Amino acid sequence: MAELDDVVAAVANSPAILAKRSIGLVSEVLGASGWVEGPGDDGAAVDVAGRTVIACGEALWPPFVRADPFGAGVAAVLTNVNDVAAMGGLPLGIVDTIVADEAGARTALEGMRYAARLYDVPIVGGHLTISSDAAPAISAFAVGSADAVLSATHVRAGQDLVVAACTEGAVREDFPFFPSFDERGEDLAQDVRLLADIASKGLAVAAKDISMAGLVGSLAMLLEWGTFGADVSLEALPSPRGVPLAWWCTCFPCYGFLLTCEPDRTDACVRAFTFRGLSAARVGRIDGTGVITLGADGRSLPAFDLTAERVTGLGRDLAPARAGGGKPASAPRGGAGPGCAAP
């Protein structure tokens, strides 16, 4: 019972979730968007001559770049590949930008090379500035393709919530990251491409990778567009042995995804992951309350209320839009929460 309280407290005090609120600046300057065409989802779905191209990018946290340039290089590839996968896409290439002294740049590129080989995605270009005066900085961008798009704009009340993750790995002591590179090895390349297959078969309609905001924060981001809520069972949640749930629910796993499924497709979606030796389970259901509730041992507590606080604060444009498979981004049933540009 104390573990439930610990998870809720960890979410409430998560600096990574708090940091996501600054993303609202994008909408303040650029205006609201339909999310699926960007900004809003993990990547933008762009129609190119009748085909759907996924584009996304990440800037690495400067203290992380400074402390571990190799790890930052790995993360530059990992985060982009996961973002493409979360959109139902196949990663096609990575472009990077690096500002660092020669030693730091070399180490960062070695990390990118390692991850690019692991995920079987080429680094196709970028920009390099060698400087001993400037603070080190790394950004990377990915392009992918999708036959069917998984988007937060497809979330609806009544869908099942599935969590899929690699629960084999080791806790990183200096950073809330759970790597599984040694445990999954080259299997990771097909692990991330599994979501494109799931999307094309209609086994899920929406997805989000579990990133720096952790499981609960990432779920809040997935539900923010429609101000939806969810009732999540911590007892059903795939998790690594010996790792406190409070840490697991606020960390960035190497491989972790949230998906929403129509109830008659949930079992098939879960089996797609478990067949590959990954952990996956239905952990709850999407509802229209706007509140993420966590439950364990017969108790439940609210962990995030989207009707009272924002995550990113990105505005939404509810004008119908089409992306990857033609599903319209029509108004959801959850209502418009704070920070959303409702009509």
Side-chain angles (χ1 to χ4, degrees):
M1 292 177 68
E3 203 162 33
L4 172 61
D5 297 297
D6 290 344
V7 173
V8 172
V11 171
N13 295 300
S14 168
I17 295 177
L18 183 63
K20 293 293 182 182
R21 293 179 182 172
S22 61
I23 298 174
L25 175 65
V26 175
S27 289
E28 291 176 17
V29 177
L30 301 182
S33 72
W35 280 39
V36 69
E37 71 274 17
D41 263 317
D42 278 333
V46 182
D47 182 81
V48 179
R51 299 189 64 184
T52 302
V53 171
I54 305 298
C56 57
E58 294 283 343
L60 279 296
W61 192 43
F64 181 35
V65 175
R66 192 162 43 246
D68 184 1
F70 183 90
V74 172
V77 175
L78 158 70
T79 53
N80 277 287
V81 169
N82 280 356
D83 280 348
V84 171
M87 295 296 294
L90 295 171
L92 300 177
I94 300 287
V95 175
D96 63 76
T97 66
I98 301 174
V99 178
D101 60 28
E102 184 173 350
R106 181 180 297 276
T107 304
L109 284 167
E110 288 170 349
M112 291 182 187
R113 179 183 62 189
Y114 168 78
R117 290 175 176 174
L118 199 63
Y119 286 98
D120 192 23
V121 58
I123 297 173
V124 296
H127 174 84
L128 173 64
T129 296
I130 299 297
S131 172
S132 299
D133 299 323
I138 297 176
S139 295
F141 312 88
V143 63
S145 65
D147 292 331
V149 169
L150 300 172
S151 169
T153 64
H154 300 162
V155 176
R156 298 291 184 271
Q159 293 170 353
D160 284 338
L161 175 65
V162 169
V163 171
C166 179
T167 56
E168 300 171 317
V171 171
R172 181 161 171 158
E173 299 295 341
D174 63 337
F175 193 70
F177 181 61
F178 188 82
S180 301
F181 304 123
D182 293 337
E183 290 75 13
R184 293 301 292 176
E186 293 181 355
D187 286 341
L188 280 167
Q190 293 306 311
D191 290 344
V192 295
R193 287 164 172 82
L194 178 59
L195 280 90
D197 187 56
I198 285 171
S200 65
K201 291 177 178 177
L203 303 185
V205 297
K208 192 164 192 67
D209 75 308
I210 301 170
S211 58
M212 280 297 297
L215 188 148
V216 178
S218 298
L219 176 58
M221 294 170 70
L222 176 65
L223 303 180
E224 183 177 23
W225 186 83
T227 321
F228 289 105
D231 193 4
V232 180
S233 168
L234 295 180
E235 293 164 326
L237 179 68
S239 60
R241 291 182 180 179
V243 176
L245 268 182
W247 191 91
W248 178 244
C249 287
T250 51
C251 83
F252 177 7
C254 165
Y255 186 92
F257 293 90
L258 301 155
L259 303 97
T260 71
C261 312
E262 297 301 337
D264 62 344
R265 302 297 181 93
T266 302
D267 288 345
C269 180
V270 169
R271 283 197 300 271
F273 290 102
T274 57
F275 181 77
R276 286 195 54 79
L278 296 160
S279 298
R282 177 193 179 277
V283 300
R285 179 160 290 189
I286 308 302
D287 58 46
T289 64
V291 179
I292 297 172
T293 301
L294 306 181
D297 297 319
R299 296 174 63 224
S300 61
L301 291 173
F304 205 99
D305 186 351
L306 284 163
T307 69
E309 58 181 322
R310 65 182 186 175
V311 191
T312 68
L314 284 170
R316 65 179 191 177
D317 181 357
L318 294 180
R322 292 189 176 273
K327 180 168 277 191
S330 55
R333 295 193 296 270
C340 295

